[in-house]
Every structure is written in structure tokens, then in C-alpha cells.
Amino acid sequence: MKVLILSITAGQGHNATAKAISTYLETMGIESRILDTYMYLNPILGETVNKGYLFTSSSIKHTYSKVYSMLEKRKKSKPIMSWTRLSNKFMALKLKGFIRRYAPDVIVCTHIFAGILIDVLLERDKIQAKTMGIVTDFTFHPYWEEALHLDYVITPSELMEIQARKKGFIPNQIMALGIPINPKFSTSIPKEEAREKLGLNPDLKTLLIMGGSMGYGNLAETVIELDKIEEDFQLITVCGNNKEAKEEIDKLKTSKKILNYGYTDNVDLLMDAATCIVTKPGGLTTSEALAKNLPIIIVHPIPGQEYRNTDFLLNCGVAAKASSTSPVYEIVFQLFKNPKRLELMKECISLIRKPDSTKDICEFIKKIGSSEV
């Protein structure tokens, strides 16, 4: 059995999702291949999409937000007239050749643009493999209505069924199996043990602050504000690839102990040690936090899908959101002063967390690839 996983680089979330699936399939003895679709079909387009996403989401957020909102409100176009389909038809034919040579039993799309390419081919009945798309945020991207020919769409939560049906998917297509995460986030160790492993005080409340892979937000300023809170707690900061933020925090003189990381591959252990997490609400990071039963304080959401993620998480009761009128240090103070609130958030997390998402998705892939469905 062979599985082709189609990703598109626009940030790192879609690639991380693809990697999680591929790695788990390997443990099941199933061959898989990840294809960075646009980079393969048109490297210039691939670079443009990635750099354009990083630039607009960090430097011109207001413009990105307006464009995303306009896409959500646009009238549905007839498939034959859709510019997305017209612009993807030539690339779809090139992708068809790759698929024919690799001959996968299942094709998994971790980005909507890859899903549209496959949908174009399915519309012409040119693929024999079973197909699925994976929604990697707690919302449907505006263009998911262009991928209705896929056999299945994997959503993060049963609560998103109404969104899926509004897009045009029918119940038999919708599988609420979660966002694929590294299986190491599926299990936990006691917080005291995790803190001792990190050289922290095992008995102190611990706040984990993350800014995504690019270290979004003014992390040093956040630390300075949090350090003013009189209550005793310790901090873990993860700056990702933002070397400047890492150096700035290293130079701070604070009253609270800070464990400061740049890029790190032990986020699972850091989450085990934390009382709650301060983070931008990317689909992957929040899914990992939920798997770890970790209450979330949302900061610096990227306009578009992360605004929608924020709404979903707040409405589910698993997160609080910092703002200009309710700054992060006030939220942290309130939560640490009110342990019952943190417990209630954990109860809400238990209702929507999908700690075994990757396992469940891969078992489903095996099932449909073996013609058991």
C-alpha cells in the first residue's frame, strides 16, 4: 500500500501535518511520500506563495484580514468559471503524471490548494486512488468549496460539521478525526516530573510562552509585563527562529526564573511542565496544547484563519484572549488567582481534544486504502 501526501509550504503547519502522518504510516509498515506540491509543479509559484504568506501575515496583517474576509463573503462561482480551477488546470495535468508514476492507493491533501488540484483531476475522473483533505485550522478556508469531489474531508472537531455542510460536503464525506500532531503530544508525564527534568521548581506554577516557528509578537515585552505580577511563578519562552527575540530575552534582568529557548524540539516536555500556555492560535500548536490538557491564553492571532480559530476556542471555553484592553498580564493574574477557572477550562478541553488524531487518521487511511470502506 502506498500513500501520497500533498503539502504546500505556507508557513510550517501544513508540512508538519504531512510529516506527522508520514512518520506514523511508516510505523504501520505503509509506504508514503510527501510532495511539496507547488515547489514540484512550479518552484517560482511555490516560493511566491510561501514568502507572500509570511509577509502578509506578519507585515500587512490588516490587508490580509480584509482579503480573507472578502473571500469568505464572495459569491460561490460555478466550478467551470472559477479562477482557482482555471489557474490550476495546467499544473493538475503535470501532477497527474506524477500520480500515475507513483500509483498511490490513497492521496492526502494537507493544504486546500493541493486539494483543488486533486479535485480538478477527480472532476475529469482521472484518479483511481481514494482521496482526502485535512482541515488544519478550526475553520474552513474559503476555498474548501472547490474540493467537494474528494472522498473525505478530515475536520478537527465534530462541532465543525455545520461548517462542512455549509461548504457543500455531505455527512458521509465528513470525518472529525482531528488535526494530525506528533504522537509524542498524545501522552503526558506529571508536571512536577517535567519541571524537574527542565531544572525548574517542581512546585511553582509555570507559564509557557510561544510565538510560533517565526517567534511572532514582542516576546520580550510580554516577559517584562508578566514579571511585574507579584504572584510567584516561573516562565518558559520559546522564540522559534526569531534569534533577535531570543537574544533580547537572554539579556533581561527579571525577578522570575526564565527558561529561554530559540528553536527546540522538546515542546511536548515544555507543555507537560506548564500550567497554561500563551500563544498565537495556530491550528497545530493549539491542537498540541489541547492534547496536553493545557489551557490557552491567545495573543497576536494572524488575521484570517487564526481569528476564526480564536472564536472557536473561546466559544468552546478552552481559552482566554488577551487584547489592548485586557492585556496578557491581567489574564495570567486572573487565571492564577482563580484555580477553579483553570480546572473548568480543562474540563472543556476534555470535550474537544483529539490526542490520538494521527493514529486515528492513519488507521482510517489504511482502511480506505485496503478497500475496507
Side-chain angles (χ1 to χ4, degrees):
M1 180 177 170
K2 293 195 291 187
V3 179
L4 177 60
I5 305 169
L6 301 179
S7 181
I8 286 177
T9 300
Q12 291 304 313
H14 304 286
N15 292 338
T17 295
K19 180 66 175 175
I21 295 170
S22 179
T23 301
Y24 199 92
L25 288 173
E26 186 179 335
T27 68
M28 298 171 68
I30 296 173
E31 178 185 336
S32 66
R33 178 165 179 179
I34 299 173
L35 186 70
D36 193 330
T37 314
Y38 276 3
M39 291 297 186
Y40 170 77
L41 297 173
N42 187 329
I44 294 176
L45 176 61
E47 285 289 345
T48 300
V49 168
N50 183 38
K51 290 180 179 178
Y53 171 77
L54 293 176
F55 175 73
T56 55
S57 62
S58 61
S59 300
I60 50 173
K61 294 182 179 181
H62 183 66
T63 300
Y64 183 82
S65 179
K66 291 186 71 172
V67 171
Y68 192 95
S69 182
M70 287 171 60
L71 290 174
E72 287 183 316
K73 295 174 182 177
R74 81 194 192 289
K75 290 183 179 179
K76 289 185 180 180
S77 49
K78 295 179 180 179
I80 195 171
M81 297 297 293
S82 167
W83 74 268
T84 52
R85 303 186 86 75
L86 292 172
S87 62
N88 277 295
K89 279 187 177 180
F90 177 76
M91 289 192 295
L93 292 175
K94 184 177 179 181
L95 181 60
K96 174 191 170 186
F98 181 93
I99 293 171
R100 185 175 64 248
R101 291 189 297 275
Y102 186 64
D105 299 286
V106 180
I107 298 173
V108 180
C109 304
T110 66
H111 192 289
I112 178 53
F113 291 169
I116 292 173
L117 285 166
I118 294 301
D119 196 82
V120 168
L121 295 176
L122 287 171
E123 193 175 26
R124 299 180 176 185
D125 195 29
K126 296 184 183 299
I127 295 179
Q128 300 303 315
K130 292 291 185 179
T131 58
M132 68 166 63
I134 296 182
V135 180
T136 56
D137 285 291
F138 294 94
T139 186
F140 275 80
H141 186 281
Y143 282 121
W144 269 106
E145 64 201 38
E146 300 273 3
L148 299 180
H149 291 92
L150 297 178
D151 291 306
Y152 302 98
V153 60
I154 309 299
T155 68
S157 170
E158 292 83 357
L159 302 178
M160 290 176 61
E161 180 180 341
I162 191 169
Q163 289 187 46
R165 294 175 72 166
K166 185 177 180 181
K167 282 294 177 187
F169 291 99
I170 61 176
N172 288 345
Q173 289 176 288
I174 307 165
M175 303 295 294
L177 300 178
I179 296 174
I181 56 176
N182 190 308
K184 66 184 181 179
F185 290 93
S186 302
T187 58
S188 299
I189 62 174
K191 294 195 177 299
E192 295 79 10
E193 181 182 343
R195 292 167 188 166
E196 285 183 340
K197 284 188 174 184
L198 294 168
L200 295 171
N201 185 329
D203 300 318
L204 266 188
K205 295 185 183 73
T206 305
L207 191 65
L208 173 60
I209 305 172
M210 297 180 63
S213 62
M214 299 305 294
Y216 282 105
N218 193 328
L219 299 178
E221 183 179 318
T222 299
V223 170
I224 292 170
E225 291 300 319
L226 290 171
D227 192 52
K228 295 176 183 177
I229 301 175
E230 291 184 5
E231 184 166 349
D232 197 13
F233 59 91
Q234 53 202 350
L235 298 167
I236 304 172
T237 52
V238 179
C239 303
N241 295 315
N242 191 335
K243 294 180 180 179
E244 187 176 313
K246 169 73 165 60
E247 292 172 358
E248 197 173 352
I249 293 174
D250 282 338
K251 294 176 182 177
L252 292 177
K253 303 297 182 183
T254 60
S255 61
K256 293 176 174 57
K257 181 178 178 63
I258 301 177
L259 193 59
N260 185 33
Y261 290 86
Y263 174 81
T264 179
D265 60 1
N266 71 336
V267 172
D268 58 314
L269 179 62
L270 305 185
M271 287 187 174
D272 280 339
T275 307
C276 55
I277 181 172
V278 176
T279 182
K280 58 186 280 298
L284 194 62
T285 299
T286 49
S287 292
E288 292 166 351
L290 294 175
K292 290 286 191 178
N293 282 307
L294 197 56
I296 301 166
I297 300 173
I298 296 171
V299 292
H300 311 303
I302 292 174
Q305 61 270 32
E306 289 193 3
Y307 280 8
R308 310 305 181 270
N309 288 349
T310 297
D311 289 341
F312 181 88
L313 296 168
L314 291 177
N315 289 336
C316 287
V318 303
K321 179 180 178 294
S323 66
S324 59
T325 54
S326 185
V328 64
Y329 62 86
E330 285 189 11
I331 302 294
V332 171
F333 177 82
Q334 291 165 6
L335 290 178
F336 282 178
K337 280 292 186 181
N338 188 359
K340 182 63 176 177
R341 172 98 184 276
L342 286 172
E343 290 305 314
L344 289 173
M345 291 172 78
K346 289 181 182 179
E347 288 182 26
C348 291
I349 288 172
S350 70
L351 300 176
I352 66 168
R353 63 193 289 263
K354 301 281 186 184
D356 299 316
S357 56
T358 303
K359 173 179 177 288
D360 293 341
I361 289 170
C362 289
E363 288 182 348
F364 185 67
I365 289 171
K366 180 180 180 181
K367 186 175 182 180
I368 63 174
S370 304
S371 300
E372 296 178 21
V373 175

